[in-house]
PDB file of all heavy atoms in Angstrom:
ATOM      1  N   HIS B 163       6.477  39.852 -13.264  1.00  0.00           N
ATOM      2  CA  HIS B 163       6.437  39.382 -14.645  1.00  0.00           C
ATOM      3  C   HIS B 163       5.292  38.392 -14.780  1.00  0.00           C
ATOM      4  O   HIS B 163       5.228  37.413 -14.054  1.00  0.00           O
ATOM      5  CB  HIS B 163       7.764  38.717 -14.999  1.00  0.00           C
ATOM      6  CG  HIS B 163       7.814  38.195 -16.399  1.00  0.00           C
ATOM      7  ND1 HIS B 163       7.622  36.877 -16.686  1.00  0.00           N
ATOM      8  CD2 HIS B 163       8.044  38.820 -17.561  1.00  0.00           C
ATOM      9  CE1 HIS B 163       7.738  36.715 -17.993  1.00  0.00           C
ATOM     10  NE2 HIS B 163       8.006  37.871 -18.537  1.00  0.00           N
ATOM     11  N   CYS B 164       4.327  38.698 -15.707  1.00  0.00           N
ATOM     12  CA  CYS B 164       3.142  37.848 -15.864  1.00  0.00           C
ATOM     13  C   CYS B 164       3.166  37.182 -17.225  1.00  0.00           C
ATOM     14  O   CYS B 164       3.630  37.760 -18.203  1.00  0.00           O
ATOM     15  CB  CYS B 164       1.873  38.694 -15.755  1.00  0.00           C
ATOM     16  SG  CYS B 164       1.722  39.510 -14.203  1.00  0.00           S
ATOM     17  N   LEU B 165       2.594  35.965 -17.280  1.00  0.00           N
ATOM     18  CA  LEU B 165       2.624  35.247 -18.552  1.00  0.00           C
ATOM     19  C   LEU B 165       1.537  35.718 -19.496  1.00  0.00           C
ATOM     20  O   LEU B 165       1.732  35.729 -20.695  1.00  0.00           O
ATOM     21  CB  LEU B 165       2.459  33.739 -18.317  1.00  0.00           C
ATOM     22  CG  LEU B 165       3.740  32.958 -18.228  1.00  0.00           C
ATOM     23  CD1 LEU B 165       3.436  31.488 -18.168  1.00  0.00           C
ATOM     24  CD2 LEU B 165       4.636  33.232 -19.399  1.00  0.00           C
ATOM     25  N   ASP B 166       0.342  36.083 -19.030  1.00  0.00           N
ATOM     26  CA  ASP B 166      -0.645  36.698 -19.910  1.00  0.00           C
ATOM     27  C   ASP B 166      -1.547  37.625 -19.095  1.00  0.00           C
ATOM     28  O   ASP B 166      -1.344  37.814 -17.900  1.00  0.00           O
ATOM     29  CB  ASP B 166      -1.448  35.642 -20.695  1.00  0.00           C
ATOM     30  CG  ASP B 166      -2.075  34.620 -19.777  1.00  0.00           C
ATOM     31  OD1 ASP B 166      -2.241  34.938 -18.598  1.00  0.00           O
ATOM     32  OD2 ASP B 166      -2.406  33.526 -20.262  1.00  0.00           O
ATOM     33  N   GLN B 167      -2.545  38.219 -19.762  1.00  0.00           N
ATOM     34  CA  GLN B 167      -3.325  39.273 -19.127  1.00  0.00           C
ATOM     35  C   GLN B 167      -4.191  38.728 -17.994  1.00  0.00           C
ATOM     36  O   GLN B 167      -4.417  39.394 -16.988  1.00  0.00           O
ATOM     37  CB  GLN B 167      -4.193  39.952 -20.180  1.00  0.00           C
ATOM     38  CG  GLN B 167      -4.892  41.194 -19.693  1.00  0.00           C
ATOM     39  CD  GLN B 167      -3.909  42.255 -19.244  1.00  0.00           C
ATOM     40  OE1 GLN B 167      -2.928  42.546 -19.931  1.00  0.00           O
ATOM     41  NE2 GLN B 167      -4.115  42.795 -18.058  1.00  0.00           N
ATOM     42  N   LYS B 168      -4.660  37.476 -18.139  1.00  0.00           N
ATOM     43  CA  LYS B 168      -5.605  36.940 -17.154  1.00  0.00           C
ATOM     44  C   LYS B 168      -4.962  36.793 -15.781  1.00  0.00           C
ATOM     45  O   LYS B 168      -5.533  37.183 -14.767  1.00  0.00           O
ATOM     46  CB  LYS B 168      -6.103  35.591 -17.650  1.00  0.00           C
ATOM     47  CG  LYS B 168      -7.177  34.981 -16.797  1.00  0.00           C
ATOM     48  CD  LYS B 168      -7.660  33.689 -17.398  1.00  0.00           C
ATOM     49  CE  LYS B 168      -8.422  32.892 -16.352  1.00  0.00           C
ATOM     50  NZ  LYS B 168      -7.556  32.513 -15.225  1.00  0.00           N
ATOM     51  N   VAL B 169      -3.726  36.240 -15.735  1.00  0.00           N
ATOM     52  CA  VAL B 169      -3.086  36.084 -14.422  1.00  0.00           C
ATOM     53  C   VAL B 169      -2.726  37.423 -13.843  1.00  0.00           C
ATOM     54  O   VAL B 169      -2.739  37.597 -12.618  1.00  0.00           O
ATOM     55  CB  VAL B 169      -1.848  35.158 -14.535  1.00  0.00           C
ATOM     56  CG1 VAL B 169      -2.255  33.776 -14.871  1.00  0.00           C
ATOM     57  CG2 VAL B 169      -0.852  35.669 -15.516  1.00  0.00           C
ATOM     58  N   ALA B 170      -2.439  38.438 -14.696  1.00  0.00           N
ATOM     59  CA  ALA B 170      -2.161  39.759 -14.175  1.00  0.00           C
ATOM     60  C   ALA B 170      -3.399  40.337 -13.491  1.00  0.00           C
ATOM     61  O   ALA B 170      -3.307  40.909 -12.400  1.00  0.00           O
ATOM     62  CB  ALA B 170      -1.721  40.679 -15.311  1.00  0.00           C
ATOM     63  N   ASP B 171      -4.584  40.122 -14.109  1.00  0.00           N
ATOM     64  CA  ASP B 171      -5.809  40.600 -13.464  1.00  0.00           C
ATOM     65  C   ASP B 171      -6.060  39.865 -12.165  1.00  0.00           C
ATOM     66  O   ASP B 171      -6.486  40.489 -11.171  1.00  0.00           O
ATOM     67  CB  ASP B 171      -6.993  40.380 -14.410  1.00  0.00           C
ATOM     68  CG  ASP B 171      -6.893  41.289 -15.630  1.00  0.00           C
ATOM     69  OD1 ASP B 171      -6.155  42.281 -15.532  1.00  0.00           O
ATOM     70  OD2 ASP B 171      -7.521  40.978 -16.637  1.00  0.00           O
ATOM     71  N   ASP B 172      -5.777  38.552 -12.143  1.00  0.00           N
ATOM     72  CA  ASP B 172      -5.946  37.798 -10.896  1.00  0.00           C
ATOM     73  C   ASP B 172      -5.053  38.353  -9.793  1.00  0.00           C
ATOM     74  O   ASP B 172      -5.451  38.436  -8.635  1.00  0.00           O
ATOM     75  CB  ASP B 172      -5.598  36.319 -11.120  1.00  0.00           C
ATOM     76  CG  ASP B 172      -6.684  35.619 -11.884  1.00  0.00           C
ATOM     77  OD1 ASP B 172      -7.746  36.225 -12.039  1.00  0.00           O
ATOM     78  OD2 ASP B 172      -6.470  34.482 -12.315  1.00  0.00           O
ATOM     79  N   LEU B 173      -3.825  38.720 -10.161  1.00  0.00           N
ATOM     80  CA  LEU B 173      -2.901  39.244  -9.160  1.00  0.00           C
ATOM     81  C   LEU B 173      -3.392  40.599  -8.636  1.00  0.00           C
ATOM     82  O   LEU B 173      -3.355  40.861  -7.438  1.00  0.00           O
ATOM     83  CB  LEU B 173      -1.515  39.396  -9.781  1.00  0.00           C
ATOM     84  CG  LEU B 173      -0.509  40.065  -8.875  1.00  0.00           C
ATOM     85  CD1 LEU B 173      -0.054  39.074  -7.836  1.00  0.00           C
ATOM     86  CD2 LEU B 173       0.661  40.605  -9.641  1.00  0.00           C
ATOM     87  N   LEU B 174      -3.903  41.449  -9.528  1.00  0.00           N
ATOM     88  CA  LEU B 174      -4.243  42.803  -9.130  1.00  0.00           C
ATOM     89  C   LEU B 174      -5.501  42.875  -8.269  1.00  0.00           C
ATOM     90  O   LEU B 174      -5.756  43.916  -7.669  1.00  0.00           O
ATOM     91  CB  LEU B 174      -4.423  43.679 -10.380  1.00  0.00           C
ATOM     92  CG  LEU B 174      -3.144  43.906 -11.158  1.00  0.00           C
ATOM     93  CD1 LEU B 174      -3.404  44.739 -12.379  1.00  0.00           C
ATOM     94  CD2 LEU B 174      -2.105  44.594 -10.299  1.00  0.00           C
ATOM     95  N   THR B 175      -6.279  41.765  -8.168  1.00  0.00           N
ATOM     96  CA  THR B 175      -7.390  41.805  -7.235  1.00  0.00           C
ATOM     97  C   THR B 175      -6.915  41.781  -5.778  1.00  0.00           C
ATOM     98  O   THR B 175      -7.623  42.253  -4.901  1.00  0.00           O
ATOM     99  CB  THR B 175      -8.319  40.613  -7.441  1.00  0.00           C
ATOM    100  OG1 THR B 175      -7.545  39.426  -7.311  1.00  0.00           O
ATOM    101  CG2 THR B 175      -8.952  40.640  -8.796  1.00  0.00           C
ATOM    102  N   GLY B 176      -5.721  41.225  -5.515  1.00  0.00           N
ATOM    103  CA  GLY B 176      -5.130  41.314  -4.182  1.00  0.00           C
ATOM    104  C   GLY B 176      -5.717  40.366  -3.143  1.00  0.00           C
ATOM    105  O   GLY B 176      -5.701  40.659  -1.959  1.00  0.00           O
ATOM    106  N   ASP B 177      -6.221  39.200  -3.582  1.00  0.00           N
ATOM    107  CA  ASP B 177      -6.730  38.232  -2.610  1.00  0.00           C
ATOM    108  C   ASP B 177      -5.621  37.670  -1.740  1.00  0.00           C
ATOM    109  O   ASP B 177      -5.773  37.558  -0.513  1.00  0.00           O
ATOM    110  CB  ASP B 177      -7.412  37.075  -3.346  1.00  0.00           C
ATOM    111  CG  ASP B 177      -8.782  37.471  -3.848  1.00  0.00           C
ATOM    112  OD1 ASP B 177      -9.312  38.458  -3.306  1.00  0.00           O
ATOM    113  OD2 ASP B 177      -9.311  36.799  -4.739  1.00  0.00           O
ATOM    114  N   MET B 178      -4.499  37.346  -2.393  1.00  0.00           N
ATOM    115  CA  MET B 178      -3.428  36.680  -1.644  1.00  0.00           C
ATOM    116  C   MET B 178      -2.799  37.639  -0.647  1.00  0.00           C
ATOM    117  O   MET B 178      -2.389  37.229   0.423  1.00  0.00           O
ATOM    118  CB  MET B 178      -2.388  36.173  -2.616  1.00  0.00           C
ATOM    119  CG  MET B 178      -1.442  35.218  -2.003  1.00  0.00           C
ATOM    120  SD  MET B 178      -0.647  34.270  -3.250  1.00  0.00           S
ATOM    121  CE  MET B 178       0.136  35.536  -4.162  1.00  0.00           C
ATOM    122  N   GLU B 179      -2.748  38.933  -0.983  1.00  0.00           N
ATOM    123  CA  GLU B 179      -2.173  39.880  -0.047  1.00  0.00           C
ATOM    124  C   GLU B 179      -2.975  39.925   1.231  1.00  0.00           C
ATOM    125  O   GLU B 179      -2.431  40.016   2.329  1.00  0.00           O
ATOM    126  CB  GLU B 179      -2.126  41.259  -0.694  1.00  0.00           C
ATOM    127  CG  GLU B 179      -1.353  42.256   0.158  1.00  0.00           C
ATOM    128  CD  GLU B 179      -1.555  43.649  -0.305  1.00  0.00           C
ATOM    129  OE1 GLU B 179      -2.189  43.845  -1.350  1.00  0.00           O
ATOM    130  OE2 GLU B 179      -1.086  44.535   0.407  1.00  0.00           O
ATOM    131  N   LYS B 180      -4.332  39.832   1.097  1.00  0.00           N
ATOM    132  CA  LYS B 180      -5.161  39.822   2.302  1.00  0.00           C
ATOM    133  C   LYS B 180      -4.856  38.609   3.162  1.00  0.00           C
ATOM    134  O   LYS B 180      -4.778  38.709   4.392  1.00  0.00           O
ATOM    135  CB  LYS B 180      -6.637  39.824   1.907  1.00  0.00           C
ATOM    136  CG  LYS B 180      -7.125  41.209   1.577  1.00  0.00           C
ATOM    137  CD  LYS B 180      -8.598  41.191   1.200  1.00  0.00           C
ATOM    138  CE  LYS B 180      -8.943  42.400   0.360  1.00  0.00           C
ATOM    139  NZ  LYS B 180      -9.698  42.016  -0.836  1.00  0.00           N
TER     140      LYS B 180
END
Side-chain angles (χ1 to χ4, degrees):
Chain B
H163 180 260
C164 300
L165 265 187
D166 54 21
Q167 189 61 47
K168 186 177 163 297
V169 293
D171 293 340
D172 285 349
L173 174 76
L174 293 179
T175 57
D177 283 341
M178 194 160 60
E179 188 192 353
K180 278 180 203 132

